[in-house]
């Protein structure tokens, strides 16, 4: 099993060697080029992706504008969770910002692991809780925190790879501010 994936899941729950092998057999290695989609709007997101190497974002379209809602890089999970959990059409796209190597697990294989390995349910629950908390925190910040403070919080909490390698237009969209405002804020704090 990929050491980073194993570290992530064993930090959540304990598994025997046989269970680790079973979990490993349910993940598939995939690679994508920059700008390729892991999942597309209008289709059912049938996979959760663990990014081994790379950088990706989740976004939706509003009045023709791309609104970034999530950024993830090495050792992070990414999915259109609403579509995945409900097995319905996604209103979001998941796109690679740079070349990505991922391990993916399908909805069916997640259900299989839930049935076969009791502790796997804990992994699924924790991932869902983390996703919910991330989204709730983002909504609160978009509505209540001034732009400069949003950016400073982003700098303090996001992985360095996301800060350094994500195009500013995506960061501005993620923070709910215009690229011009982000440029001014960056000049003010430099």
């Amino acid at each position: 099993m990929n050491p980073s994936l194993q570290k992530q899941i064993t930090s959540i729950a304990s598994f025997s060697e046989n269970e680790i092998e079973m979990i490993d057999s349910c993940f598939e290695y995939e690679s994508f080029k920059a700008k390729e989609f892991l999942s597309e709007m209008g289709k059912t997101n049938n996979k959760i992706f663990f990014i081994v190497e790379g950088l990706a974002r989740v976004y939706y379209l509003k009045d023709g504008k791309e609104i970034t809602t999530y950024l993830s890089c090495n050792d992070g999970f990414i999915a259109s969770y609403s579509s995945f959990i409900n097995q319905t059409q996604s209103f979001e796209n998941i796109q690679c910002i740079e070349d990505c190597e991922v391990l993916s697990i399908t909805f069916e294989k997640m259900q299989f692991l839930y049935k076969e390995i009791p502790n796997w349910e804990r992994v699924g629950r924790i991932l869902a809780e983390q996703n919910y908390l991330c989204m709730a925190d983002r909504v609160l910040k978009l509505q209540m925190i001034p732009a400069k403070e949003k950016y400073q919080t982003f700098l303090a909490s996001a992985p360095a790879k996301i800060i350094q390698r994500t195009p500013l237009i995506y960061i501005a969209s993620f923070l709910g501010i215009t690229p011009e405002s982000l440029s001014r804020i960056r000049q003010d704090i430099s």
Side-chain angles (χ1 to χ4, degrees):
M1 173 177 276
N2 174 280
S4 296
L5 177 59
Q6 185 168 347
K7 181 179 177 183
Q8 288 284 342
I9 64 173
T10 57
S11 72
I12 296 170
S14 298
F15 300 99
S16 70
E17 282 188 41
N18 287 342
E19 289 171 333
I20 290 289
E21 288 175 15
M22 187 183 297
I23 293 165
D24 186 42
S25 73
C26 289
F27 279 85
E28 178 184 341
Y29 172 84
E30 298 181 72
S31 64
F32 297 87
K33 296 289 182 194
K35 306 265 186 212
E36 277 191 274
F37 291 92
L38 302 177
S39 177
E40 293 183 69
M41 184 175 68
K43 298 179 180 176
T44 301
N45 182 183
N46 193 44
K47 296 179 180 179
I48 291 178
F49 301 92
F50 177 79
I51 300 175
V52 175
E53 180 69 38
L55 182 60
R57 71 181 178 126
V58 178
Y59 75 93
Y60 67 93
L61 297 173
K62 180 179 180 185
D63 302 326
K65 277 183 74 172
E66 295 178 359
I67 309 297
T68 300
T69 59
Y70 191 74
L71 298 162
S72 188
C73 64
N74 303 24
D75 304 338
F77 289 94
I78 194 166
S80 177
Y81 281 99
S82 166
S83 174
F84 181 82
I85 291 167
N86 295 314
Q87 286 298 279
T88 55
Q89 287 186 354
S90 177
F91 63 90
E92 302 169 304
N93 291 304
I94 305 173
Q95 185 182 38
C96 298
I97 294 173
E98 59 186 35
D99 292 354
C100 287
E101 295 177 26
V102 301
L103 295 169
S104 64
I105 185 166
T106 65
F107 179 82
E108 294 76 21
K109 289 184 179 176
M110 282 290 283
Q111 301 311 306
F112 168 78
L113 290 177
Y114 288 151
K115 186 176 139 198
E116 297 297 318
I117 304 174
N119 273 352
W120 188 254
E121 284 193 346
R122 179 170 169 77
V123 171
R125 180 177 58 81
I126 297 296
L127 289 177
E129 287 174 357
Q130 288 173 344
N131 182 62
Y132 169 78
L133 290 172
C134 179
M135 295 306 287
D137 184 56
R138 182 173 184 277
V139 167
L140 181 66
K141 286 178 181 163
L142 282 176
Q143 294 177 350
M144 300 184 70
I145 298 175
K148 185 175 182 179
E149 190 176 334
K150 284 184 216 179
Y151 183 62
Q152 289 172 321
T153 301
F154 173 77
L155 291 176
S157 62
K161 182 174 186 170
I162 289 175
I163 294 166
Q164 295 163 358
R165 293 164 67 167
T166 301
L168 292 180
I169 193 165
Y170 299 154
I171 293 173
S173 171
F174 177 73
L175 296 174
I177 58 179
T178 66
E180 297 79 16
S181 293
L182 180 56
S183 290
R184 283 192 297 277
I185 291 166
R186 286 168 47 92
Q187 287 175 350
D188 283 352
I189 63 174
S190 63

